[in-house]
Amino acid sequence: MITPTITVNVELGERAYPIHIGAGLIGRTELFAPHIKGASVAIVTNSTIDPLYGDQLRAALEPLGKKVTTVVLPDGEAHKNWETLNQIFDALLTERADRKTTLIALGGGVVGDMTGFAAASYMRGVPFIQVPTTLLSQVDSSVGGKTGINHPLGKNMIGAFYQPQAVIADIGALHTLPERELAAGIAEVIKTAAIADAEFFEWIETNIDALNRRDDEALAHAVKRSCEIKASVVASDEREGGRRAILNFGHTFGHAIEAGLGYGEWLHGEAVGCGMVMAADLSVRLGKLDEAARRRLVRVIEAAKLPVTAPQLGDDRYVDLMKIDKKAEAGEIKFILLTRLGATEITSAPDQAVRATLAASV
Amino acid sequence: MITPTITVNVELGERAYPIHIGAGLIGRTELFAPHIKGASVAIVTNSTIDPLYGDQLRAALEPLGKKVTTVVLPDGEAHKNWETLNQIFDALLTERADRKTTLIALGGGVVGDMTGFAAASYMRGVPFIQVPTTLLSQVDSSVGGKTGINHPLGKNMIGAFYQPQAVIADIGALHTLPERELAAGIAEVIKTAAIADAEFFEWIETNIDALNRRDDEALAHAVKRSCEIKASVVASDEREGGRRAILNFGHTFGHAIEAGLGYGEWLHGEAVGCGMVMAADLSVRLGKLDEAARRRLVRVIEAAKLPVTAPQLGDDRYVDLMKIDKKAEAGEIKFILLTRLGATEITSAPDQAVRATLAASV
C-alpha cells in the first residue's frame, strides 16, 4: 500500500524546515535536491542501516552529481560517545569536507544525535539532513534540534541545539525495525499524546493494534500528529527555557533507568515507557491526576508491549541519578506530571512521595 | 598609572554583551555580578594563570555567595584538544554544574576558546564570561564568539559560534605577559588596523614603542580600537558568511605555518604576523597593493618584534595545508588581500603567484 507524502513544517523563523513523511521517501532525489548546496555530501549511518538503505540513498543522490562519502559507525547507544563522534570528524577532514558539505544522518536517534552534533561543530557548523529510520527517531529526533553525545556521568550531557535543513521520514523503513524498537517508538507517540492531545490519545488506544502490526497509514498518521504537536511546542520555546520541558514527560525517571542500568541495556523508548508509568504514579500520589486516567495510560503502554515495571537500582541511586538530570536546578529535581490525559504540570516533589513511587514501581 | 574603565558594546541583538577594558578589573565584583544568575560558577584557567590571578578572581566572586569551582588546565596550544576539553566536562559533571552554572574563562585564547566551546556544549549551552589575560585574547577572542578545539588534521576544526555574557579585559594582566606573547598580541592589533582603519594603522606606527614597553594607556587604546573594529565587522556578519572573513587577513598563510610546524611551535600571533607579510607580498604580486604600503606593513611588524620570514615547509606542503583552511571551498583557497592600508579584497589566486610568494617568503 502506498501512502502519500505528508509534509509538516517546523516554524522556526530563519531556521524553519520541512518534515516529509511517507513510504519510499529515501529513494526520492527531489526531496534531497533543494537542501544540498555544496559540492559534497557525507552520509553518516551505522553498520546495521547501511546494508539496508545505504544504496537506496546513494542512488537517490547520484543524479545530483555530488561527491558522496559514507561514514559507517558502530550500531548502538553504547557508541554515542566522543570516540565515535570523532570518527565522523576524522572522515570529514580526510575527505576535505568544507563549510558547505551537507551531512545526511541515515539511521535512528543515535546516528541522528551524533550527526547533528558533528554538523553543529564541524568548522563551527555545516548543513545537515535527517533521514530517521526508526519510529522513535521519526517522532522524537526529527523535531527539536537537540543533538549530542553521552558522557560516562550523564546522558546527552554534551551537545548543541542545531536545526536540520530537512527531515525525510520514510515510513517504509519501519518494516525492517526490530519489535522492541517499534515498541520504543510507540512509547514516544503515547508520550506526545499524553502531554498535549486527549483526542490523539484516544486515537492511539483505538489503533494500537494497527501500529503494532505496522500498518503504513496508521504509522504515517502517528508520526505526523506527533511531529505536529512537538513542532508546536518547540516553536514556542526553541531552547528549552520553559514549556518545551513538557516533552520530557517520563524522561526524568527514564533517564535514571538508562543511566543506572548502563546505556543500551534498555532502549530509550522502553525507559520512557516505564518512566511515564512512574511519573503517572507520582502524579496520582500528589493528587494531580485521577486513578482512572493513570490506568488508561498504563494499559496503552502495556498494549504497546512496553515494560511497566522499573528495574531494581535502589532508591538512593534513582534519586542521585535524577539529580544530575539537565532539568534539575541546584540539585532540585523537576518532574513533569500529568494533571489529565493531555495536560501537564512541572514541579518539584517531596522526597517521600518520590520514594513511595519508586517503591511502588519496581 | 590608573586607566579608567572603557566599555565597548558588541551589538548582536539578544546576544549583545559588553567588553570592559581597564587596569585592575579582575578584582571588581560589580563587573561580574550582573552576569551570574545561577547558584554556582566554574572558573576555567590554566596552570600558569591560576597562581597569578586565580585568587584575585575568587576574591571578587566571594561577596556573591556562589559555589565556586576552579578547573586548572595544562597551559599551551598543544592542549587545545578533546582530552583537555573533557577535563572541563568531567569537573562540571562531578561538581553537578547545572544549566544555570556560569563558566568563567580566565586566561589566554586557548582557555577562552575551550571554555567557550565547553559552555556552548555543556547541557547544550550554559552562560560564560571571558576574562582574557593576554593581549591577543583581549583583542581577538573577546569579539566574535568563535570557540573550539583543534583536531590533528586542522586548527579550530571543531567548535561553535557562541557569545559570552560579558568580557572583562584587565590591562593590568598584560604586565606579567612574556615578551613573545605581547608581540603576538600586537600582531592582531596591526592586523585589525591594516584591514579596516588607516588612521589607527598610523597611530600604531607612532605608538609601537609605547605598546612594546606596555604603557597602560597605549594598550587600553589599542584593545579598545581593535575591539570596536572587530565588533563592527562581526555585527554585520555574525556567522562568517561574508565580510567577517576579512578578519582572517594573514591567517591563511599563518594557519599553514602553525599546522606545518605543529601547533605551539610558533605562537598564533607570530604566525599571523608572518602570514600578513606573505599576504601583502601576494597582494603586490597580483597588482592589488602598492609596494610602499607593503613596506610600511612589514616595517611595523618588524618593529613589534615579530618574525617576517616564513619557516621552510616546502611549497606543496604549504598549498596542501591551506586547502584545508575553513575558508577554502571545494579545494579552492580564498585569500584575504590588501588593496591599501585599511582595505581588503577576498579572492582566489593563481597557483603560480602563490608559489612565488612562498619562494620569496622563506
Side-chain angles (χ1 to χ4, degrees):
Chain A
M1 184 185 141
I2 292 170
T3 54
T5 309
I6 301 164
T7 300
V8 175
N9 286 301
V10 183
E11 302 297 348
L12 290 169
E14 60 180 19
R15 289 182 296 286
Y17 63 90
I19 303 173
H20 301 297
I21 302 160
L25 304 192
I26 291 176
R28 285 174 51 183
T29 306
E30 79 279 12
L31 296 179
F32 293 92
H35 307 293
I36 299 175
K37 305 272 162 63
S40 66
V41 172
I43 299 169
V44 182
T45 184
N46 70 34
S47 51
T48 305
I49 296 300
D50 189 47
L52 292 170
Y53 302 106
D55 284 344
Q56 205 179 326
L57 176 55
R58 282 182 287 270
L61 299 174
E62 174 75 45
L64 303 176
K66 309 289 179 179
K67 178 185 165 193
V68 177
T69 306
T70 303
V71 186
V72 181
L73 307 178
D75 188 12
E77 179 87 24
H79 300 284
K80 190 175 168 181
N81 55 26
W82 171 258
E83 287 70 27
T84 312
L85 181 70
N86 210 31
Q87 283 185 31
I88 306 175
F89 294 134
D90 287 345
L92 293 174
L93 284 161
T94 306
E95 294 294 328
R96 309 215 158 164
D98 62 34
R99 281 183 173 172
K100 294 194 173 163
T101 299
T102 298
L103 307 197
I104 301 182
L106 174 69
V110 172
V111 164
D113 284 6
M114 286 203 293
T115 308
F117 188 40
S121 314
Y122 184 68
M123 294 189 175
R124 302 196 190 92
V126 296
F128 87 114
I129 298 171
Q130 292 268 25
V131 184
T133 58
T134 65
L135 180 57
L136 178 62
S137 59
Q138 290 183 355
V139 300
D140 193 37
S141 330
S142 296
V143 189
K146 285 192 178 179
T147 70
I149 56 173
N150 297 329
H151 183 283
L153 297 175
K155 194 174 153 62
N156 292 322
M157 282 294 163
I158 300 159
F161 285 100
Y162 197 70
Q163 307 297 341
Q165 303 298 303
V167 176
I168 294 165
D170 190 338
I171 296 297
L174 305 183
H175 291 282
T176 53
L177 202 59
E179 285 291 333
R180 269 181 77 188
E181 295 204 32
L182 181 74
I186 296 174
E188 286 287 335
V189 174
I190 294 169
K191 180 209 75 179
T192 311
I195 58 171
D197 187 342
E199 199 180 312
F200 183 38
F201 190 87
E202 273 185 55
W203 181 91
I204 298 169
E205 292 180 311
T206 310
N207 290 276
I208 187 70
D209 291 338
L211 292 172
N212 284 339
R213 68 167 184 268
R214 308 178 199 221
D215 175 89
D216 273 351
E217 216 169 330
L219 287 169
H221 179 74
V223 171
K224 169 184 169 280
R225 192 67 201 115
S226 299
C227 286
E228 281 172 350
I229 293 170
K230 202 171 167 196
S232 122
V233 172
V234 168
S236 68
D237 178 23
E238 189 178 352
R239 295 190 64 101
E240 203 162 22
R243 175 164 155 77
R244 180 171 174 163
I246 68 170
L247 295 170
N248 285 312
F249 176 57
H251 283 60
T252 306
F253 290 105
H255 282 166
I257 293 172
E258 285 186 272
L261 293 176
Y263 296 120
E265 195 57 41
W266 278 32
L267 296 174
H268 175 67
E270 292 172 333
V272 168
C274 185
M276 287 193 283
V277 172
M278 297 166 86
D281 179 281
L282 185 59
S283 305
V284 171
R285 224 167 269 279
L286 297 178
K288 312 270 181 195
L289 183 70
D290 67 51
E291 173 60 16
R294 188 194 71 81
R295 274 204 210 126
R296 278 177 67 191
L297 180 68
V298 174
R299 211 174 298 132
V300 82
I301 291 170
E302 274 180 321
K305 302 171 191 171
L306 288 159
V308 294
T309 305
Q312 295 269 10
L313 298 175
D315 288 9
D316 291 343
R317 179 96 173 108
Y318 265 106
V319 171
D320 228 43
L321 286 164
M322 291 193 287
K323 278 189 178 155
I324 56 167
D325 186 82
K326 286 194 291 300
K327 288 182 297 304
E329 269 175 34
E332 192 182 63
I333 311 164
K334 296 281 184 189
F335 293 96
I336 324 293
L337 301 180
L338 285 189
T339 53
R340 59 175 173 78
L341 290 168
T344 55
E345 184 180 316
I346 303 178
T347 180
S348 54
D351 193 56
Q352 202 186 341
V354 174
R355 286 175 189 268
T357 287
L358 290 169
S361 303
V362 294
Chain B
M1 183 186 140
I2 292 172
T3 55
T5 309
I6 301 165
T7 301
V8 175
N9 286 301
V10 183
E11 302 298 348
L12 289 169
E14 61 180 21
R15 288 183 296 285
Y17 64 89
I19 303 173
H20 302 295
I21 302 160
L25 304 193
I26 291 176
R28 285 175 49 183
T29 306
E30 80 280 10
L31 296 178
F32 293 91
H35 307 293
I36 299 175
K37 306 271 162 66
S40 67
V41 171
I43 299 170
V44 182
T45 183
N46 70 35
S47 51
T48 305
I49 296 301
D50 189 47
L52 292 170
Y53 302 105
D55 285 344
Q56 204 177 327
L57 176 55
R58 282 181 288 269
L61 298 175
E62 174 77 44
L64 302 177
K66 309 288 181 181
K67 178 184 165 193
V68 176
T69 306
T70 303
V71 185
V72 181
L73 307 178
D75 188 10
E77 179 87 24
H79 301 284
K80 190 175 166 181
N81 55 26
W82 170 259
E83 287 70 27
T84 312
L85 180 71
N86 211 32
Q87 284 185 30
I88 306 176
F89 294 133
D90 288 344
L92 293 175
L93 283 161
T94 304
E95 295 293 328
R96 309 215 159 164
D98 62 34
R99 282 184 172 168
K100 293 194 174 166
T101 299
T102 298
L103 306 196
I104 301 182
L106 175 68
V110 172
V111 164
D113 284 6
M114 285 204 292
T115 307
F117 188 40
S121 313
Y122 184 67
M123 294 190 175
R124 301 195 189 95
V126 295
F128 88 114
I129 298 171
Q130 292 269 25
V131 184
T133 58
T134 65
L135 181 57
L136 179 61
S137 59
Q138 290 182 355
V139 301
D140 193 36
S141 330
S142 297
V143 190
K146 285 191 177 180
T147 71
I149 56 174
N150 297 328
H151 183 282
L153 296 175
K155 194 175 153 61
N156 292 322
M157 282 294 163
I158 300 160
F161 286 101
Y162 197 70
Q163 306 297 341
Q165 303 298 305
V167 176
I168 294 166
D170 190 337
I171 295 300
L174 305 182
H175 291 280
T176 53
L177 202 61
E179 286 289 335
R180 269 181 77 188
E181 294 204 33
L182 182 74
I186 296 175
E188 286 285 336
V189 175
I190 295 169
K191 180 209 76 179
T192 310
I195 59 171
D197 187 340
E199 199 179 311
F200 183 38
F201 189 87
E202 273 185 55
W203 181 91
I204 298 169
E205 291 178 313
T206 310
N207 291 276
I208 187 69
D209 292 339
L211 292 172
N212 284 339
R213 68 168 184 269
R214 306 176 200 222
D215 175 88
D216 274 350
E217 216 170 333
L219 287 170
H221 179 75
V223 171
K224 169 183 167 282
R225 192 68 201 115
S226 298
C227 287
E228 281 172 349
I229 292 170
K230 204 173 166 196
S232 121
V233 172
V234 168
S236 68
D237 177 23
E238 189 178 352
R239 296 189 62 100
E240 202 161 23
R243 175 163 155 77
R244 180 169 175 165
I246 68 170
L247 295 170
N248 285 313
F249 175 57
H251 283 60
T252 307
F253 290 106
H255 282 167
I257 292 173
E258 286 185 273
L261 292 176
Y263 296 120
E265 196 58 42
W266 279 30
L267 296 174
H268 175 68
E270 292 172 335
V272 168
C274 186
M276 288 192 282
V277 173
M278 297 166 86
D281 179 283
L282 185 60
S283 305
V284 171
R285 224 166 269 279
L286 297 178
K288 312 269 182 197
L289 183 71
D290 66 52
E291 174 60 17
R294 188 193 70 83
R295 274 204 210 126
R296 279 176 66 192
L297 180 67
V298 174
R299 212 174 297 131
V300 81
I301 291 170
E302 275 179 321
K305 303 171 190 170
L306 289 159
V308 295
T309 305
Q312 296 269 10
L313 299 174
D315 289 9
D316 291 343
R317 178 95 173 108
Y318 265 107
V319 170
D320 228 42
L321 286 164
M322 291 192 288
K323 277 188 180 158
I324 57 166
D325 186 82
K326 284 193 291 302
K327 288 182 298 302
E329 270 175 32
E332 191 182 63
I333 311 166
K334 296 282 183 187
F335 293 95
I336 323 293
L337 301 181
L338 286 188
T339 54
R340 57 176 172 81
L341 291 167
T344 55
E345 183 180 316
I346 303 178
T347 179
S348 55
D351 193 57
Q352 203 185 340
V354 174
R355 287 174 189 270
T357 287
L358 290 169
S361 303
V362 293

